[in-house]
Amino acid sequence: ERRLLWEPRWNREPSFAALDQLMTELFQQARDEAPMPLITVDMILRALRKTAKSVSRGPCLWAAREWLVLPREGHQALADLLNFIESTLTWPSQAMLNRVAFLPKVDGKDRAVAIASMLTRLWFAVRRSTPRRWEVGMAIPWDTAGPGRSATQAAYRRNARISARKRIGRPFAAVFWDASYFFDSLRA
């Protein structure tokens, strides 16, 4: 049943020309940036300790707590691998796979959740500030979604503006788009 639901949505022929252009631009931007400091064994250990409580396993079937008990040479190999990935801007194809878990919802439907490989999760834990800086840099001022923003704060601000305009007799209009069931309503 799940295959019939998701296959038409996710197995479409991609636009390779558009993807190639985007990847070329992203690679050039990454090459133009100042190099990051090399990842060290200490950085690997610190990241593994923070993520060791996670029990979910991606497609590689590794867990952080298993990598945490590797000998120092194993941690050095992980640091070397992540440094190589950063220097070449190329991830192993296996690291780009995600494991999808279907979590049941109260209404009887499922919510798909992707679980990345442990290598990808380790890189994000080591370089936590890099993706966060990118996320902040990509935030659009008028968008109420993003880092450090909440739906509740957006609703309060919107209602305050509406109340103020109503109080002084000024017209107001609002458009509300409820995306809470967006993925459940996709049509092929």
Side-chain angles (χ1 to χ4, degrees), residues 58-72:
C60 62
L61 299 179
W62 283 102
R65 66 181 177 277
E66 295 165 339
W67 283 5
L68 189 56
V69 297
L70 289 172
R72 186 158 184 89

PDB file of all heavy atoms in Angstrom, residues 58-72:
ATOM      1  N   GLY A  58      20.582   4.576  10.328  1.00  0.00           N
ATOM      2  CA  GLY A  58      20.325   4.887   8.937  1.00  0.00           C
ATOM      3  C   GLY A  58      20.573   3.671   8.064  1.00  0.00           C
ATOM      4  O   GLY A  58      20.677   2.548   8.553  1.00  0.00           O
ATOM      5  N   PRO A  59      20.724   3.873   6.760  1.00  0.00           N
ATOM      6  CA  PRO A  59      20.908   2.739   5.851  1.00  0.00           C
ATOM      7  C   PRO A  59      22.231   1.999   6.076  1.00  0.00           C
ATOM      8  O   PRO A  59      22.367   0.844   5.702  1.00  0.00           O
ATOM      9  CB  PRO A  59      20.859   3.376   4.465  1.00  0.00           C
ATOM     10  CG  PRO A  59      21.143   4.810   4.683  1.00  0.00           C
ATOM     11  CD  PRO A  59      20.661   5.146   6.060  1.00  0.00           C
ATOM     12  N   CYS A  60      23.195   2.640   6.710  1.00  0.00           N
ATOM     13  CA  CYS A  60      24.492   1.990   6.988  1.00  0.00           C
ATOM     14  C   CYS A  60      24.403   1.032   8.174  1.00  0.00           C
ATOM     15  O   CYS A  60      25.291   0.215   8.388  1.00  0.00           O
ATOM     16  CB  CYS A  60      25.559   3.050   7.250  1.00  0.00           C
ATOM     17  SG  CYS A  60      25.198   4.078   8.697  1.00  0.00           S
ATOM     18  N   LEU A  61      23.345   1.154   8.960  1.00  0.00           N
ATOM     19  CA  LEU A  61      23.074   0.340  10.148  1.00  0.00           C
ATOM     20  C   LEU A  61      24.043   0.572  11.302  1.00  0.00           C
ATOM     21  O   LEU A  61      24.108  -0.211  12.236  1.00  0.00           O
ATOM     22  CB  LEU A  61      23.001  -1.158   9.804  1.00  0.00           C
ATOM     23  CG  LEU A  61      21.900  -1.530   8.805  1.00  0.00           C
ATOM     24  CD1 LEU A  61      21.926  -3.021   8.520  1.00  0.00           C
ATOM     25  CD2 LEU A  61      20.531  -1.097   9.298  1.00  0.00           C
ATOM     26  N   TRP A  62      24.822   1.662  11.245  1.00  0.00           N
ATOM     27  CA  TRP A  62      25.710   2.023  12.348  1.00  0.00           C
ATOM     28  C   TRP A  62      24.982   2.946  13.315  1.00  0.00           C
ATOM     29  O   TRP A  62      24.109   3.698  12.926  1.00  0.00           O
ATOM     30  CB  TRP A  62      26.946   2.768  11.831  1.00  0.00           C
ATOM     31  CG  TRP A  62      27.986   1.903  11.209  1.00  0.00           C
ATOM     32  CD1 TRP A  62      28.204   1.732   9.872  1.00  0.00           C
ATOM     33  CD2 TRP A  62      28.953   1.097  11.874  1.00  0.00           C
ATOM     34  NE1 TRP A  62      29.237   0.876   9.664  1.00  0.00           N
ATOM     35  CE2 TRP A  62      29.735   0.469  10.891  1.00  0.00           C
ATOM     36  CE3 TRP A  62      29.236   0.850  13.206  1.00  0.00           C
ATOM     37  CZ2 TRP A  62      30.774  -0.392  11.189  1.00  0.00           C
ATOM     38  CZ3 TRP A  62      30.281  -0.006  13.502  1.00  0.00           C
ATOM     39  CH2 TRP A  62      31.033  -0.618  12.506  1.00  0.00           C
ATOM     40  N   ALA A  63      25.402   2.890  14.573  1.00  0.00           N
ATOM     41  CA  ALA A  63      24.899   3.805  15.593  1.00  0.00           C
ATOM     42  C   ALA A  63      26.091   4.558  16.176  1.00  0.00           C
ATOM     43  O   ALA A  63      27.208   4.032  16.213  1.00  0.00           O
ATOM     44  CB  ALA A  63      24.167   3.042  16.699  1.00  0.00           C
ATOM     45  N   ALA A  64      25.867   5.763  16.646  1.00  0.00           N
ATOM     46  CA  ALA A  64      26.948   6.598  17.185  1.00  0.00           C
ATOM     47  C   ALA A  64      27.664   5.920  18.347  1.00  0.00           C
ATOM     48  O   ALA A  64      28.885   5.997  18.458  1.00  0.00           O
ATOM     49  CB  ALA A  64      26.394   7.954  17.620  1.00  0.00           C
ATOM     50  N   ARG A  65      26.930   5.230  19.191  1.00  0.00           N
ATOM     51  CA  ARG A  65      27.559   4.588  20.353  1.00  0.00           C
ATOM     52  C   ARG A  65      28.541   3.497  19.920  1.00  0.00           C
ATOM     53  O   ARG A  65      29.495   3.198  20.618  1.00  0.00           O
ATOM     54  CB  ARG A  65      26.505   4.063  21.318  1.00  0.00           C
ATOM     55  CG  ARG A  65      25.661   2.942  20.793  1.00  0.00           C
ATOM     56  CD  ARG A  65      24.608   2.507  21.824  1.00  0.00           C
ATOM     57  NE  ARG A  65      23.762   1.488  21.284  1.00  0.00           N
ATOM     58  CZ  ARG A  65      22.709   1.709  20.518  1.00  0.00           C
ATOM     59  NH1 ARG A  65      22.353   2.942  20.210  1.00  0.00           N
ATOM     60  NH2 ARG A  65      21.983   0.715  20.053  1.00  0.00           N
ATOM     61  N   GLU A  66      28.317   2.892  18.745  1.00  0.00           N
ATOM     62  CA  GLU A  66      29.251   1.885  18.244  1.00  0.00           C
ATOM     63  C   GLU A  66      30.540   2.546  17.750  1.00  0.00           C
ATOM     64  O   GLU A  66      31.631   2.009  17.948  1.00  0.00           O
ATOM     65  CB  GLU A  66      28.600   1.073  17.120  1.00  0.00           C
ATOM     66  CG  GLU A  66      27.430   0.249  17.612  1.00  0.00           C
ATOM     67  CD  GLU A  66      26.544  -0.282  16.505  1.00  0.00           C
ATOM     68  OE1 GLU A  66      26.562   0.267  15.385  1.00  0.00           O
ATOM     69  OE2 GLU A  66      25.826  -1.261  16.775  1.00  0.00           O
ATOM     70  N   TRP A  67      30.411   3.704  17.106  1.00  0.00           N
ATOM     71  CA  TRP A  67      31.605   4.416  16.640  1.00  0.00           C
ATOM     72  C   TRP A  67      32.361   5.034  17.808  1.00  0.00           C
ATOM     73  O   TRP A  67      33.555   5.220  17.745  1.00  0.00           O
ATOM     74  CB  TRP A  67      31.214   5.493  15.622  1.00  0.00           C
ATOM     75  CG  TRP A  67      30.921   4.929  14.268  1.00  0.00           C
ATOM     76  CD1 TRP A  67      30.882   3.619  13.915  1.00  0.00           C
ATOM     77  CD2 TRP A  67      30.640   5.671  13.095  1.00  0.00           C
ATOM     78  NE1 TRP A  67      30.583   3.504  12.592  1.00  0.00           N
ATOM     79  CE2 TRP A  67      30.422   4.743  12.055  1.00  0.00           C
ATOM     80  CE3 TRP A  67      30.532   7.023  12.811  1.00  0.00           C
ATOM     81  CZ2 TRP A  67      30.122   5.137  10.755  1.00  0.00           C
ATOM     82  CZ3 TRP A  67      30.227   7.412  11.511  1.00  0.00           C
ATOM     83  CH2 TRP A  67      30.020   6.472  10.499  1.00  0.00           C
ATOM     84  N   LEU A  68      31.645   5.332  18.878  1.00  0.00           N
ATOM     85  CA  LEU A  68      32.283   5.937  20.053  1.00  0.00           C
ATOM     86  C   LEU A  68      33.314   4.995  20.680  1.00  0.00           C
ATOM     87  O   LEU A  68      34.330   5.439  21.203  1.00  0.00           O
ATOM     88  CB  LEU A  68      31.214   6.334  21.074  1.00  0.00           C
ATOM     89  CG  LEU A  68      31.651   7.161  22.262  1.00  0.00           C
ATOM     90  CD1 LEU A  68      32.332   8.451  21.813  1.00  0.00           C
ATOM     91  CD2 LEU A  68      30.444   7.505  23.126  1.00  0.00           C
ATOM     92  N   VAL A  69      33.083   3.687  20.611  1.00  0.00           N
ATOM     93  CA  VAL A  69      33.995   2.727  21.247  1.00  0.00           C
ATOM     94  C   VAL A  69      35.113   2.252  20.312  1.00  0.00           C
ATOM     95  O   VAL A  69      35.904   1.393  20.689  1.00  0.00           O
ATOM     96  CB  VAL A  69      33.223   1.508  21.825  1.00  0.00           C
ATOM     97  CG1 VAL A  69      32.279   1.953  22.921  1.00  0.00           C
ATOM     98  CG2 VAL A  69      32.508   0.749  20.727  1.00  0.00           C
ATOM     99  N   LEU A  70      35.186   2.817  19.122  1.00  0.00           N
ATOM    100  CA  LEU A  70      36.290   2.475  18.224  1.00  0.00           C
ATOM    101  C   LEU A  70      37.619   2.901  18.848  1.00  0.00           C
ATOM    102  O   LEU A  70      37.661   3.847  19.637  1.00  0.00           O
ATOM    103  CB  LEU A  70      36.123   3.190  16.875  1.00  0.00           C
ATOM    104  CG  LEU A  70      35.009   2.724  15.954  1.00  0.00           C
ATOM    105  CD1 LEU A  70      34.885   3.671  14.759  1.00  0.00           C
ATOM    106  CD2 LEU A  70      35.250   1.303  15.489  1.00  0.00           C
ATOM    107  N   PRO A  71      38.721   2.261  18.475  1.00  0.00           N
ATOM    108  CA  PRO A  71      40.021   2.736  18.955  1.00  0.00           C
ATOM    109  C   PRO A  71      40.351   4.081  18.309  1.00  0.00           C
ATOM    110  O   PRO A  71      39.713   4.498  17.342  1.00  0.00           O
ATOM    111  CB  PRO A  71      40.993   1.643  18.489  1.00  0.00           C
ATOM    112  CG  PRO A  71      40.302   0.968  17.354  1.00  0.00           C
ATOM    113  CD  PRO A  71      38.822   1.079  17.630  1.00  0.00           C
ATOM    114  N   ARG A  72      41.345   4.745  18.832  1.00  0.00           N
ATOM    115  CA  ARG A  72      41.743   6.075  18.328  1.00  0.00           C
ATOM    116  C   ARG A  72      42.010   6.040  16.821  1.00  0.00           C
ATOM    117  O   ARG A  72      41.692   6.986  16.115  1.00  0.00           O
ATOM    118  CB  ARG A  72      42.963   6.591  19.088  1.00  0.00           C
ATOM    119  CG  ARG A  72      43.319   8.012  18.718  1.00  0.00           C
ATOM    120  CD  ARG A  72      44.144   8.681  19.802  1.00  0.00           C
ATOM    121  NE  ARG A  72      44.392  10.069  19.482  1.00  0.00           N
ATOM    122  CZ  ARG A  72      43.604  11.073  19.814  1.00  0.00           C
ATOM    123  NH1 ARG A  72      42.492  10.844  20.475  1.00  0.00           N
ATOM    124  NH2 ARG A  72      43.922  12.304  19.495  1.00  0.00           N
TER     125      ARG A  72
END
